[in-house]
Amino acid sequence: MTRPPVYVTRPILPPLEDVYSLLQEIWQTRILSNGGPILQRFEAALGQYLGVDHISMVGNASMGLVLALRHHGITGEVITPAFSFVATSHAIRWAGAEPVFADIDPVTLNLDPVEVEKRITSRTQAILAVHCYGTPCDTAGLQRVADRHGLRLIYDAAHAFGVRENGRSICTSGDLSVLSFHATKVFNTFEGGAIISPDRETKLAIDRLGNYGIVDETTVLETGLNTKMSELNAAVGLALLPQMDSAIATRARLANHYSDALGDVPGLRAVCPPGRAGHNYYHFPILVGDGYPISRDALYERLRQDGLFARRYFYPLISDLPMYRDLPSAAPSMLPVARRAANQVLCLPIFPDLDPVDQERIIGIVRQPC
Ligand SMILES: *Cc1c(COP(=O)(O)O)cnc(C)c1O
């Protein structure tokens, strides 16, 4: 009895009928892009859902990060974690700036403000922090460091859809936050993303920078890029939003069950223990430590044998990749906490329609790998 493969995530989709009625609207209006009526509605609905006022939709989060950095004129050093998806550092380079890696906190696996402060030089202009797995950064600590040194604080919130802290969207922290709506994220528009601005003036400036720098028919103010989201992607997002409360609630239930079932396994630690209000359980990462009977990689292979595709997010560290490993801050001794996390982490499959039978198979193997 072989079951279909179970991947680390599986995208959720809106009801096809709901998308279809929006498509009919597009076919009638012939407005396909450029901030059309569906995108406008999507921006308003998403703002309502997240509890934020100023949203710029973009084609993906990578371009969103580049735009955010460019908006603030960041061309110097940007302090960022090596324990993240490679797009975080790539965006810094595409903006014309240079990443400087700082170590992470051993509990949250997010950028550690104390380590950030150690990396500040006269060339430092910004901090690009990541809410890894949807766990909020130490936003107060990072803001204090940023304020003390006159730095911009930008958040890669690709994992943090719907995450709240003290009753507010995590995307209201710092100068700008960038969400990803890629297929594999908590919420998706197939490809897409959004930049959350603190005020309307900033939002309009970002919209302009993402629309070639055009002001009106005869005025181009700056060297902009095209980062626009199409009406097609906006339609998917608009139709999917009503599902998000229940999708996140289901993730929380699955995370709870993993946590209960694996809590007593020696050598394992859950990175995102359930019960934290406002978390989205984007991933269910565990750290496979010395007390566990087999190595992280052996567990990864053991699960694969049964068609259960857990993933090592984030391994290797960004600082070990060929285009970054010669940076001074990438030296192997510099990032001990990030390195240990990269060597121990394994993200177990979690997504709203994960079959309970499959979750039990995963739990069974993790509890008893040999
Ligand atoms: C997915 C991801 C991105 C890139 O998002 P895209 O929308 O695919 O460009 C950036 N940062 C992190 C941390 C991510 O996980």
Side-chain angles (χ1 to χ4, degrees), residues 255-265 268 359-360 363-364 366-367:
N256 245 315
H257 184 50
Y258 269 136
S259 206
D260 288 346
L262 301 175
D264 62 344
V265 178
L268 284 193
Q359 191 179 24
E360 292 314 319
I363 288 167
V366 175
R367 286 194 63 84

Side-chain angles (χ1 to χ4, degrees), residues 169-210:
S169 168
I170 196 68
C171 294
T172 57
S173 310
D175 290 296
L176 291 168
S177 294
V178 181
L179 291 160
S180 172
F181 307 150
H182 180 255
T184 58
K185 303 303 204 277
V186 167
F187 170 78
N188 83 84
T189 58
F190 288 23
E191 292 273 3
I195 304 176
I196 314 301
S197 292
D199 50 59
R200 184 165 168 77
E201 197 187 349
T202 307
K203 175 212 161 21
L204 294 176
I206 286 191
D207 284 344
R208 190 180 61 217
L209 193 60

Side-chain angles (χ1 to χ4, degrees), residues 46-53 55 131 136 139 155 157 160-174 177 179 196 278:
L46 183 64
Q48 186 109 57
Y49 182 84
L50 297 177
V52 301
D53 293 326
I55 301 181
H131 303 296
T139 51
Y155 284 102
F161 181 89
V163 172
R164 301 178 75 81
E165 189 177 53
N166 305 323
R168 296 181 67 198
S169 168
I170 196 68
C171 294
T172 57
S173 310
S177 294
L179 291 160
I196 314 301

